Structures are given as C-alpha cells and as structure tokens.
Amino acid sequence: MPELNLVLLGPPGSGKGTQGERLCEDFDVPYYATGDILRAAVKEGTELGRQAQEYMDRGDLVPDEVIVGVIVERISTDEAADGFILDGFPRTIPQAEALEAEMERLGRSVTAVLLIDAPDEDCIRRISGRRLCVKNPEHVYHVDFDPPKHNEKCDFDGARLVQREDDAPEKVKHRLAVYHKQTTPLIDYYDERALLRRFDGRRDKTEVHDHIRATLATLRLEEKL
C-alpha cells in the first residue's frame, strides 16, 4: 500500500485529536502531536531537543527551523516508514513550506490534509466544560456531554473535579484567536494544492471518523488507477 502521510487541521476543540488517535489505530501509523514530539526530543537529549530546551528555558518560542528539524527527525524513523499523522504542525504557511521542502528532499509527500472544523462557540463549550479528577487526571468528564453521577465528584474515587486553567473560557478564546490568525491561512494554502479535505466537526465523532475513512479509501483507490 502507498504511504499515508496525513496532516490534521482544525481549531482547538474541533475533535481532531480524537480522530487522529482513531486513525492511528485504523492504519497502524504513528500519531505525532507537536508538543509531544518536542517533549520527547528534549527527554531523549537529541541535539535538536537540546536546542529546543534552550529556547524554552529562556521562555522564547522555539524557532521554525528547530521545530521542523524535530518533526523531520521523527518522520524519518522506521516507525513512520509507512506514513504518519501530524497534529499541530504545520501551524503557519512558512512551516508548511518548510515541511513541503523537507518531504520533497526525502522523496515523500503529504497524502492529504484533513480539516476538522467547528464554530468557535462549539469549541469553547467543549473545552470549557471539561472536568478532571484531582487524583487521576485520566478520569475526564464533561458538564454537558458526560457529567459525573454526583455533582463535581469523580465516579471512581469520589475525588474533587476541577477545570484545567487552560480550559477556562477566556483562555480558550485566546487560543482560538491565535488559531484564526496563524493557522486558518493554511486552509487556502492546501486547498490550492488539492490536498485539503473538509469534515464537519459538529457531527458525532463516529460519523466524522466514518467520513474520514471513506475519504481516505477513495484517495487510495485513485492512487492505484
């Protein structure tokens, strides 16, 4: 089968992380979230990881050339030989151009860019409604969609439920504003290259997943013709 090299686009709260994890299981390709890759590079002590750590220690943004280097380092490994899923990268057109150049150097290309879109109000509601158990953050609830049996207490251990600081409505609004300013130009960028595929993030996550799978199946059939 041909490589399956995917880029996930969409605002925070659109559900792209959920879809990325499902696609990872479906196609047995690694799922790379930018923050996780940077943290892994720092933990492993790679040269690029040390460079990234220096910027982060100073409180500076990690420059594009370092981020791109870390991403390329990861997608060049054996585990990504059959493909990969990128979430959170590229965020800007310069990053997209740098990724395109590096992929071309490797003799590879992006298969498709999956845009999972949702209105700001839906994203804010989804993120700001999340609650985590103070004892075990893996126990996650939602005040509207998956509330606990007892108000503000974990069903498993009775511990208090809290909202992450980053999930507060004002913080979510800021993240969305940054996304619209920096990342939405990528929609036209990839659309012009006939790589963009759009999905309605307002729909049930299983419906979105089925739509993505059907789209990818069609793309693979077209590649064989």
Side-chain angles (χ1 to χ4, degrees), residues 107-167:
R108 306 173 72 176
S109 61
V110 171
T111 306
V113 177
L114 312 179
L115 170 63
I116 304 171
D117 211 358
D120 283 7
E121 56 267 27
D122 285 33
C123 296
I124 294 168
R125 184 184 181 197
R126 288 177 180 177
I127 297 177
S128 64
R130 286 192 301 216
R131 298 294 184 270
L132 311 180
C133 173
V134 294
K135 284 188 178 179
N136 188 343
E138 293 184 4
H139 297 161
V140 183
Y141 302 85
H142 195 283
V143 295
D144 296 318
F145 309 129
D146 186 21
K149 294 176 182 176
H150 303 286
N151 191 32
E152 297 187 9
K153 289 186 178 180
C154 179
D155 294 345
F156 295 93
D157 51 31
R160 183 168 54 92
L161 300 179
V162 296
Q163 181 185 60
R164 287 194 326 173
E165 185 177 343
D166 285 349
D167 289 349

Side-chain angles (χ1 to χ4, degrees), residues 4 6 8 17-32 84-85 209 213 216 220:
L4 189 65
L6 303 175
L8 291 177
T18 298
Q19 298 303 329
E21 290 171 357
R22 289 189 173 197
L23 292 171
C24 172
E25 295 176 2
D26 290 339
F27 298 104
D28 194 27
V29 294
Y31 168 59
Y32 297 135
F84 54 81
I85 301 167
H209 176 235
R213 287 204 54 161
L216 294 177
R220 288 195 150 184

